[in-house]
Amino acid sequence: MARERGVQVVTRWGHTLTDLDALLKRHPGGKPTTTYSSFLNHLDKQLKAVPLAVLNKPRQLPPVVDADLAGLGASAATSASSSAAPASDAADAFGVPSAAALCLGPATSGVILRGGETEALARMEACLSQQGGAWVAAFEKPSTSPTEIDPFGQHTRSTTCLSPYLKFGCLSARVLHERVAAVYAAHPKHAKPPTSLHGQVYWREFYYACAHGTPNYEMMAANPICRQIPWEDDPELLAAWREARTGYPWIDAAMTQLREEGWIHHLARHAVACFLTRGDLWQSWEKGAEVFEELLLDADPAINRGNWMWLSCSCFFYQYFRCYSPVAFPKKYDKDGAYVRKWLPQLKDFPAKYIYEPWKAPIADQKKANCIIGQDYPKPIVNHELKRALTQQKLPMSKKVLPRVEP
Ligand SMILES: Cc1cc2nc3c(=O)[nH]c(=O)nc-3n(C[C@H](O)[C@H](O)[C@H](O)COP(=O)(O)OP(=O)(O)OC[C@H]3O[C@@H](n4cnc5c(N)ncnc54)[C@H](O)[C@@H]3O)c2cc1C
């Protein structure tokens, strides 16, 4: 339409660090790599050829000349720095609709995150300035905690919690990269990829590049990088996982936080994804990804689908014997189970000894905690140890039975 009307169109890459077409040209055969370390080599070459640049905002926008857009009036044609309110006809046509106009009732829960670039930048700066930048410099993802009680609070966070802002474009990945680089410059002994904060931004770029260059990336069938695994299809098991009724408090607490807050820590995502797929329930990663897309504030097809393939050992990672225990894993971070007590209040008075395996508590303890297992909180839907042994046998076999589909 613009071309027909004689309007010059300038297209720029903005949502990712690099121009993904140019980045993929650096990959052998133009095909995305599924290995992070080789990806970093290609990315490094691309960034040397085309250094990252954060563009300045335009000082002035050209006037609107099209008669069809006359309704925008003077407001749309004002300079970018002007704070003039939009003309009311323009606001009707192009303004943000009210909650009432969208037929949304009053919010049922408190607002956890405010949207917009101003808020995004403030949150980013708050992270960057923690401990005078030392927090960012020392940031190593595996040392962060998945059981934080108030991840979006104003206190020191385990991770940045910037993902919803990056997803919606409120925060530019390039701005984040540039600001982190400035902190690194002041702290020469900073952490390095893959675990550093720059490393996290590169993971984002990695999955974007992969999604951009892979046909049918979002699904298992006809996806050339995805192992074809004969997952089972049990709607009951899927519903129990989705609705936090697995009987494993760590999994149910994380799925409750996901529903309530639209965000969970990366390692909690690992745990619930592993549990649904290769760890315990043997359900398809595509089903899990759909649930995440419905519930996550930061739901992003390239990142979400890529991570689900990783966790289910369908692509990128094949160490199927490394499995998350829904009992032992959370104990490493939260021995007393404060996170479980917050999200599953029916278990709040359970003794710490049984908080991750409440079905093992003697009935006297269950009564004392006012929570009878099987009545007030479900019994486990599967036996993790048994399931783990079975699924671990299945995974290596599945590679032989159903070879990878090539395009
Ligand atoms: C099964 C599964 C599904 C996921 N789905 C999504 C999703 O839909 N959207 C999403 O943004 N992230 C997703 N992630 C990746 C990661 O969990 C989140 O990006 C991270 O937890 C967001 O919190 P943060 O902003 O505090 O991250 P930080 O650790 O502070 O990292 C900063 C930014 O780097 C990027 N990043 C961090 N980790 C990853 C990663 N593993 N892969 C790609 N980019 C990363 C994100 O943009 C993040 O905001 C998923 C992970 C798993 C295991």
Side-chain angles (χ1 to χ4, degrees):
M1 279 172 65
R3 208 174 296 125
E4 279 167 18
R5 286 157 190 256
V7 175
Q8 187 198 358
V9 179
V10 179
T11 308
R12 293 188 194 276
W13 284 87
H15 197 59
T16 45
L17 295 178
T18 58
D19 169 341
L20 295 179
D21 285 330
L23 177 62
L24 283 177
K25 283 199 187 119
R26 300 197 175 270
H27 290 58
K31 285 193 179 165
T33 171
T34 55
T35 314
Y36 183 77
S37 52
S38 35
F39 170 78
L40 285 189
N41 289 332
H42 305 313
L43 180 67
D44 187 48
K45 284 187 190 128
Q46 178 63 17
L47 292 181
K48 279 191 178 125
V50 185
L52 273 186
V54 175
L55 302 179
N56 292 324
K57 68 177 174 187
R59 281 190 307 278
Q60 203 176 5
L61 295 174
V64 176
V65 287
D66 194 311
D68 291 355
L69 297 176
L72 278 169
S75 62
T78 55
S79 71
S81 57
S82 164
S83 58
S88 63
D89 50 352
D92 286 350
F94 301 102
V96 177
S98 67
L102 293 170
C103 303
L104 296 172
T108 49
S109 59
V111 173
I112 301 163
L113 279 187
R114 298 182 70 83
E117 187 179 25
T118 307
E119 179 77 12
L121 293 175
R123 283 184 173 264
M124 178 186 72
E125 293 302 336
C127 283
L128 294 168
S129 61
Q130 278 188 70
Q131 300 162 12
W135 182 82
V136 163
F139 182 100
E140 299 251 27
K141 191 65 164 276
S143 325
T144 61
S145 167
T147 56
E148 247 194 324
I149 296 297
D150 182 19
F152 287 104
Q154 290 306 313
H155 66 289
T156 307
R157 293 182 198 108
S158 176
T159 59
T160 66
C161 293
L162 289 172
S163 50
Y165 297 99
L166 287 160
K167 177 254 164 76
F168 284 107
C170 308
L171 178 64
S172 148
R174 291 181 196 166
V175 169
L176 176 61
H177 187 277
E178 189 182 76
R179 295 289 294 118
V180 171
V183 175
Y184 285 169
H187 294 81
K189 285 191 179 161
H190 60 83
K192 297 273 171 357
T195 51
S196 64
L197 201 46
H198 263 178
Q200 304 314 301
V201 183
Y202 299 151
W203 278 114
R204 180 177 182 273
E205 198 79 359
F206 170 75
Y207 286 118
Y208 263 91
C210 224
H212 192 59
T214 306
N216 302 311
Y217 174 84
E218 72 285 2
M219 57 178 82
M220 180 171 87
N223 174 346
I225 63 168
C226 184
R227 252 165 103 182
Q228 305 297 299
I229 296 175
W231 303 110
E232 283 160 15
D233 182 12
D234 186 330
E236 290 296 315
L237 288 181
L238 178 67
W241 174 81
R242 186 180 187 281
E243 291 157 21
R245 293 188 281 106
T246 68
Y248 283 96
W250 158 236
I251 301 296
D252 293 341
M255 292 305 287
T256 308
Q257 185 192 3
L258 175 62
R259 177 166 296 279
E260 294 279 322
E261 295 198 332
W263 186 92
I264 46 176
H265 183 277
H266 184 58
L267 293 174
R269 300 182 199 208
H270 270 230
V272 298
C274 181
F275 188 87
L276 180 71
T277 57
R278 67 188 168 89
D280 293 80
L281 304 186
W282 201 255
Q283 302 298 299
S284 165
W285 64 265
E286 292 169 273
K287 294 276 164 63
E290 279 166 22
V291 172
F292 268 33
E293 270 150 19
E294 182 198 340
L295 299 178
L296 275 176
L297 277 176
D298 63 28
D300 179 311
I303 307 179
N304 187 39
R305 300 274 162 166
N307 273 286
W308 272 97
M309 281 192 259
W310 179 296
L311 261 300
S312 59
C313 280
S314 298
C315 187
F316 311 111
F317 172 86
Y318 301 104
Q319 294 175 29
Y320 59 89
F321 44 86
R322 284 181 55 194
C323 199
Y324 289 91
S325 158
V327 174
F329 178 70
K331 276 188 193 164
K332 286 198 270 179
Y333 301 91
D334 182 7
K335 221 169 168 22
D336 187 51
Y339 176 83
V340 165
R341 292 174 207 280
K342 170 175 177 174
W343 292 111
L344 304 175
Q346 63 273 47
L347 292 172
K348 75 178 170 25
D349 294 324
F350 242 75
K353 186 176 170 193
Y354 301 113
I355 193 74
Y356 295 112
E357 315 173 87
W359 64 93
K360 288 190 176 168
I363 192 70
D365 285 352
Q366 297 185 27
K367 280 185 180 156
K368 206 168 148 202
N370 278 321
C371 180
I372 306 297
I373 301 307
Q375 184 182 304
D376 303 308
Y377 180 72
K379 290 181 179 164
I381 44 168
V382 289
N383 177 326
H384 169 69
E385 289 310 324
L386 213 63
K387 273 292 199 178
R388 182 170 165 261
L390 285 173
T391 54
Q392 294 210 351
Q393 281 168 17
K394 278 190 196 175
L395 255 175
M397 261 178 51
S398 66
K399 197 168 187 179
K400 272 191 227 151
V401 176
L402 285 167
R404 246 168 69 153
V405 175
E406 297 296 343

